[in-house]
């Protein structure tokens, strides 16, 4: 059984495709595309900096170091960070990934961000749906969670559109960059409740 394998021996995809997006692990050389997307989005990403996986490094060397470290974590199966590309144009759109992994369940948390110019087109809902398909079909996930800052209305829209169940609010779970306590919403999906969209 795949679920009994040591995490580092698990077979992972080199890419996943849906109608408009392609997801793949980061590669050396992706730092430039990442930097351009961050430059497009710097102001909008600022309020969400407390999220440890929101990339905010300011130079191309740092974004290149970031993509290499994301790839290293992928290789070790510590967490699975994927870059998102628009299939039609090849443009880098942002990132999505499986974090907080508990292989023994297995359960995962999905985290994500989009470049500002790609917002409002449903790309992240499509990418997160594809990743859920992958987690439930190939990683034998029992549970996938999405957590977001209670102020982040756009982020909460994604689990809602995908049919996740709102479970609870974790009060004072983190702090704003100014130091004020803020809560997190917890949304969850189980294998039993998930309807597969793309058979993988
Ligand atoms: C969170 C974030 C990824 C959400 O982006 P988004 O564009 O709202 O999400 P989607 O790509 O799924 O697009 C959904 C929007 O596109 C619209 N849309 C257009 N075509 C669509 C389609 N084919 N399918 C679904 N939605 C579509 C939806 O109506 C929705 O717009 P609305 O909220 O005005 O109703 C983005 O705001 C972001 O990166 N924020 C900064 C980082 C961040 O907060 N990360 C999350 C931390 S928890």
């Amino acid at each position: 059984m795949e679920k009994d394998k040591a995490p580092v021996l698990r077979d992972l995809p080199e890419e996943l495709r849906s109608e408009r997006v392609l997801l793949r692990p980061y590669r050396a050389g992706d730092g430039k595309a990442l930097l351009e997307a961050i430059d497009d989005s710097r102001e909008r990403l600022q309020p969400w900096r407390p999220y440890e996986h929101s990339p905010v490094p300011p130079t191309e060397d740092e974004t290149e170091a970031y993509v290499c470290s994301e790839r290293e974590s992928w290789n070790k199966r510590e967490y699975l960070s994927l870059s998102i590309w628009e299939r039609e144009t090849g443009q880098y759109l942002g990132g999505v990934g499986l974090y907080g992994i508990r292989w023994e369940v297995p359960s995962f948390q999905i985290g994500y961000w989009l470049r500002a110019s790609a917002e409002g087109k449903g790309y992240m809902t499509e990418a997160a749906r594809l990743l859920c398909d992958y987690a439930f079909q190939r990683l034998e996930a029992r549970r996938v969670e999405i957590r977001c800052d209670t102020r982040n209305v756009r982020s909460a829209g994604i689990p809602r559109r995908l049919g996740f169940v709102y479970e609870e609010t974790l009060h004072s779970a983190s702090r704003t960059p100014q130091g004020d306590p803020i809560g997190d919403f917890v949304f969850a999906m189980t294998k039993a409740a998930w309807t597969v969209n793309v058979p993988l």
Side-chain angles (χ1 to χ4, degrees):
M1 283 285 276
E2 186 69 12
K3 93 173 163 34
D4 300 324
K5 282 187 183 169
V8 288
L9 300 179
R10 279 171 176 267
D11 210 14
L12 292 178
E14 275 312 305
E15 61 176 49
L16 293 170
R17 285 166 189 259
S18 58
E19 194 188 335
R20 296 180 299 166
V21 299
L22 182 152
L23 311 185
R24 65 160 175 77
Y26 283 97
R27 295 180 190 145
D30 286 340
K32 189 165 183 285
L34 174 59
L35 181 62
E36 279 170 20
I38 292 170
D39 275 343
D40 267 6
S41 320
R42 213 177 278 276
E43 232 170 73
R44 197 197 34 136
L45 287 172
Q46 183 78 20
W48 317 117
R49 274 185 186 211
Y51 288 90
E52 62 181 308
H53 295 293
S54 290
V56 287
T59 68
E60 191 172 332
D61 273 359
E62 283 170 315
T63 51
E64 191 55 28
Y66 173 88
V67 302
C68 292
S69 77
E70 294 296 273
R71 179 69 205 209
E72 215 173 292
S73 299
W74 172 278
N75 291 342
K76 292 186 196 156
R77 306 326 191 217
E78 290 168 343
Y79 58 85
L80 306 177
S81 175
L82 293 143
S83 52
I84 310 172
W85 305 81
E86 187 177 38
R87 288 183 62 180
E88 195 182 334
T89 60
Q91 188 189 39
Y92 174 75
L93 298 177
V96 66
L98 297 171
Y99 306 100
I101 299 179
R102 294 179 61 207
W103 289 108
E104 71 280 12
V105 179
S107 69
F108 304 88
Q109 275 178 32
I110 295 190
Y112 39 71
W113 73 281
L114 269 185
R115 69 189 302 155
S117 59
E119 245 179 6
K121 296 171 185 160
Y123 286 129
M124 192 52 77
T125 301
E126 187 174 324
R129 183 181 288 126
L130 181 59
L131 197 53
C132 283
D133 275 343
Y134 182 76
F136 287 120
Q137 292 178 77
R138 291 296 178 87
L139 298 179
E140 297 167 75
R142 307 304 305 184
R143 173 184 169 90
V144 173
E145 243 183 45
I146 294 180
R147 295 185 181 204
C148 71
D149 183 325
T150 54
R151 300 165 306 160
N152 197 341
V153 176
R154 294 201 80 94
S155 182
I158 288 157
R160 291 197 169 112
R161 274 190 292 278
L162 293 176
F164 278 51
V165 172
Y166 163 79
E167 288 191 337
E168 60 178 331
T169 300
L170 304 175
H171 298 283
S172 300
S174 28
R175 283 178 181 274
T176 64
Q178 294 72 38
D180 302 317
I182 41 167
D184 277 350
F185 289 139
V186 179
F187 296 91
M189 175 60 69
T190 58
K191 187 178 176 68
W194 181 250
T195 306
V196 168
N197 301 277
V198 184
L200 296 168

